[in-house]
């Protein structure tokens, strides 16, 4: 139901745009989130938005560099990542849940498969 894509290998300072295509159900009224998990580390919140538009939330580590957006017509949520750093290297996941916009991993009910982002120095 959630298909993430757009990962790849990029040099530090570069940009990538991740996409999360939603299918099989309507996510109107849902919260959409991006998370990431680096090797040996716990999965962490990156960014989130309300599907109907308006509120967004970002982890402090990505504020000012990453932007979450959605295209309702395409049923897709994006994560534009600029000024990438080696510490951004991780598997990135999109997720969805009904309710409020929160940063807690356990709060999210639906998960897509991950897409690998590797930033080389």
């Amino acid at each position: 139901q959630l298909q993430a894509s757009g990962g790849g290998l990029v040099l530090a300072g570069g940009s990538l745009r991740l996409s999360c295509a939603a299918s099989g159900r309507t996510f109107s009224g849902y919260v959409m989130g991006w998370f990431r998990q680096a090797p040996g580390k716990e999965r962490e919140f990156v960014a989130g938005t309300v599907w109907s538009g308006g509120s967004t939330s970002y982890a402090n580590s990505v504020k000012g560099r990453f932007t979450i957006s959605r295209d309702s017509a395409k049923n897709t949520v994006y994560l534009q990542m600029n000024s990438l750093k080696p510490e951004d290297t991780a598997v990135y996941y999109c997720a969805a849940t009904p309710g409020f916009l929160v940063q807690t991993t356990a709060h999210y009910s639906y998960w897509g498969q991950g897409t690998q982002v590797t930033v080389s120095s």
Side-chain angles (χ1 to χ4, degrees):
Q1 292 180 332
L2 296 175
Q3 181 77 30
S5 61
L9 173 64
V10 64
L11 292 174
S15 298
L16 280 174
R17 188 178 78 159
L18 305 183
S19 299
C20 176
S23 63
R25 65 176 300 127
T26 176
F27 285 96
S28 176
Y30 276 57
V31 169
M32 307 299 294
W34 283 99
F35 292 77
R36 66 186 181 187
Q37 188 167 19
K41 295 187 177 181
E42 292 187 355
R43 192 170 299 187
E44 64 176 3
F45 175 84
V46 175
T49 188
V50 179
W51 183 265
S52 58
S55 299
T56 57
S57 179
Y58 295 93
N60 288 335
S61 59
V62 306
K63 278 182 181 177
R65 300 188 298 123
F66 291 11
T67 303
I68 188 171
S69 63
R70 90 275 182 269
D71 185 330
S72 297
K74 295 183 178 180
N75 234 23
T76 301
V77 176
Y78 302 99
L79 184 68
Q80 178 66 43
M81 306 186 295
N82 299 328
S83 302
L84 282 161
K85 304 175 181 180
E87 50 264 44
D88 294 318
T89 295
V91 177
Y92 283 71
Y93 300 87
C94 61
T97 194
F100 298 101
L101 178 53
V102 296
Q103 300 188 358
T104 309
T105 304
H107 179 74
Y108 287 76
S109 304
Y110 302 94
W111 290 85
Q113 92 296 349
T115 184
Q116 176 70 47
V117 172
T118 303
V119 184
S120 63
S121 57

